[in-house]
Amino acid sequence: MQRVYVTGLGVVSSVGFGISDFWNALIAGKSGISEVDLFDTSSLDRHLGGQVKGFRPRDFLTAAEARRAGRCSAMCIAAARMAMDQAGLTEEQLKADRTSVVLGTTMGEADVISELEEAWVHDGAEARVIVPKNIVRCGATLIAIHVARSVGARGMVQVLPAACAAGNYAIGFAADQIRAGRADVVVTGAAEVLEKLEYAGFCRLGAMAPDTCRPFDQNRKGLILGEGAGLMILESEAHAMARGATLLAEVGGFGLACDAHHITRPHPDGIGSIAAMRRAISSSGLQPEDVDFVNAHGTGTSANDETESRVMHEVFGQRKVPISSVKSMIGHCMGAASALEALTCVMSVQSGVYPPTMGYETPDPACDVNVIANKAQAGKADIVLNNSLAFGGYDAVLCFAKPGCLPDNVGRA
């Protein structure tokens, strides 16, 4: 069974484009939250978001790619090219049957769909404002196809719509394709865009904070939505060694589970999340005491943070493993969230630095966890878990490790 390594990272986010800008902003505690201007929020009671501003597709895409790609696909293509550059891979090297693309999302080209639906709803069969090119670029399945076309990948393409756990689902599935011998290289990750329907939906749910997202804080008032794309290059050990690639991190095992409880709330006892975390640890050939740091789902909602804290106690016992949530800075990027956070896990493995949870001021007795509060902290990061919980009860946990730290039976349990 092949070992799987991360060799390149690419990101489009509200705090920067490219992994260096993204990571430096996060460890400095920089916020990407600002007034949303992608759509009119005047009829809503919330107006902030982790909107990606200043992204110009033509800075990263050809003219033809920019014409046929929606905003979600454009951010994916841009992030894929950044990841390729860091990995030192060219399009000629990726033009192969054993190069695949596996991406996650929740709503894909939601802004394009919204534009089409608005025209149909208001004008029906007489609609004349429908832009024909939008019909052929609205499908969520297209984002992986656009990336495959841009890099020349001729292997399997797949889009996994696993709600806010989509990034972990995609990366874990991609790693399994390499371990199973179905691919040598996989371009993987996830993307999501801000769109009015979903934004208004979270407002109506009462899940949106009015000003600041404060994960695990006693005075937390909810999440703030965001957007972005986080992609990485995964390679088999043989492929990476043959070309002398730099190994950024090894992908360990991953755990999947479902709460089977409620469409928007996690199971109060964290049953699915506990199962997913334990499976990620055991399938990496590890024990709980081996884990150095956990990137939390950490939405800043009362239900999520209490449940996630309960899960940490159940899995790790009395040992308070350091935990942090970058959603306090970039918002909850929904389908892209765990992919963007997977990039931060790899950077923690690389640098030995835990990113901070900003806005953490008042400890909550119901969230008795070791939060990295308001300032980045150096620490051992040989083994890092990326935790995600999602609407529908999706639970997905992924393990990243410093090369050489995982046992030989990784991915077998």
Side-chain angles (χ1 to χ4, degrees), residues 7-366:
T7 58
L9 305 171
V11 57
V12 175
S13 78
S14 59
V15 294
F17 307 152
I19 191 62
S20 293
D21 286 354
F22 176 67
W23 179 244
N24 289 335
L26 293 181
I27 61 174
K30 177 183 175 182
S31 175
I33 306 302
S34 63
E35 291 276 343
V36 172
D37 61 16
L38 281 171
F39 45 83
D40 182 8
T41 65
S42 60
S43 62
L44 305 171
D45 61 355
R46 297 289 185 269
H47 311 286
L48 298 176
Q51 180 182 328
V52 174
K53 295 184 175 178
F55 174 67
R56 297 180 300 181
R58 282 292 282 121
D59 290 345
F60 306 95
L61 279 62
T62 66
E65 288 171 339
R67 280 195 300 273
R68 60 179 177 251
R71 180 174 171 83
C72 191
S73 295
M75 291 197 293
C76 280
I77 294 171
R81 292 220 160 96
M82 295 173 198
M84 287 171 57
D85 285 346
Q86 187 183 25
L89 285 166
T90 66
E91 291 184 21
E92 285 303 312
Q93 291 173 295
L94 291 179
K95 285 181 179 176
D97 295 341
R98 293 182 59 77
T99 300
S100 294
V101 179
V102 180
L103 299 177
T105 188
T106 298
M107 296 179 68
E109 304 289 7
D111 53 338
V112 179
I113 295 171
S114 178
E115 187 177 333
L116 288 168
E117 286 183 340
E118 186 165 340
W120 274 317
V121 166
H122 289 294
D123 302 315
E126 302 302 318
R128 296 182 182 280
V129 295
I130 293 174
V131 179
K133 69 179 182 181
N134 281 347
I135 296 175
V136 296
R137 66 177 187 176
C138 68
T141 53
L142 291 175
I143 63 175
I145 294 170
H146 283 310
V147 171
R149 190 173 177 181
S150 69
V151 305
R154 296 171 182 161
M156 180 190 70
V157 295
Q158 184 70 263
V159 175
L160 299 175
C164 297
N168 270 356
Y169 261 74
I171 297 167
F173 182 73
D176 270 0
Q177 300 315 297
I178 294 175
R179 290 194 183 102
R182 301 189 184 101
D184 295 326
V185 181
V186 185
V187 182
T188 186
E192 199 73 63
V193 296
L194 280 172
E195 191 275 328
K196 189 171 183 178
L197 176 64
E198 64 187 4
Y199 191 92
F202 275 90
C203 290
R204 292 295 300 274
L205 283 171
M208 292 272 280
D211 46 17
T212 303
C213 175
R214 299 181 175 88
F216 303 109
D217 187 280
Q218 189 172 42
N219 298 314
R220 64 191 181 279
K221 296 179 179 177
L223 56 85
I224 293 178
L225 288 181
E227 64 175 359
L231 269 67
M232 60 177 63
I233 304 291
L234 301 187
E235 288 187 66
S236 70
E237 181 177 28
H239 192 276
M241 292 297 103
R243 68 182 192 87
T246 298
L247 309 179
L248 303 179
E250 181 170 3
V251 184
F254 71 109
L256 304 178
C258 182
D259 286 344
H261 169 69
H262 192 275
I263 194 64
T264 60
R265 292 196 300 272
H267 191 287
D269 294 329
I271 291 173
S273 183
I274 292 168
M277 190 171 284
R278 285 177 170 160
R279 287 170 187 163
I281 294 170
S282 63
S283 64
S284 300
L286 301 170
Q287 299 296 320
E289 54 267 32
D290 297 318
V291 176
D292 298 314
F293 172 68
V294 173
N295 174 79
H297 189 61
T299 59
T301 61
S302 178
N304 176 91
D305 293 0
E306 285 188 24
T307 297
E308 197 166 10
S309 299
R310 200 167 294 123
V311 170
M312 292 289 288
H313 281 277
E314 188 66 29
V315 173
F316 297 107
Q318 296 302 310
R319 189 169 75 98
K320 290 189 175 181
V321 178
I323 189 170
S324 194
S325 172
V326 297
K327 288 183 177 73
S328 58
M329 293 175 277
I330 60 175
H332 188 347
C333 299
M334 300 165 285
S338 54
L340 289 160
E341 293 159 19
L343 269 59
T344 71
C345 291
V346 173
M347 292 307 296
S348 286
V349 168
Q350 279 274 296
S351 63
V353 174
Y354 310 144
T357 300
M358 301 305 292
Y360 184 84
E361 298 171 349
T362 307
D364 182 352

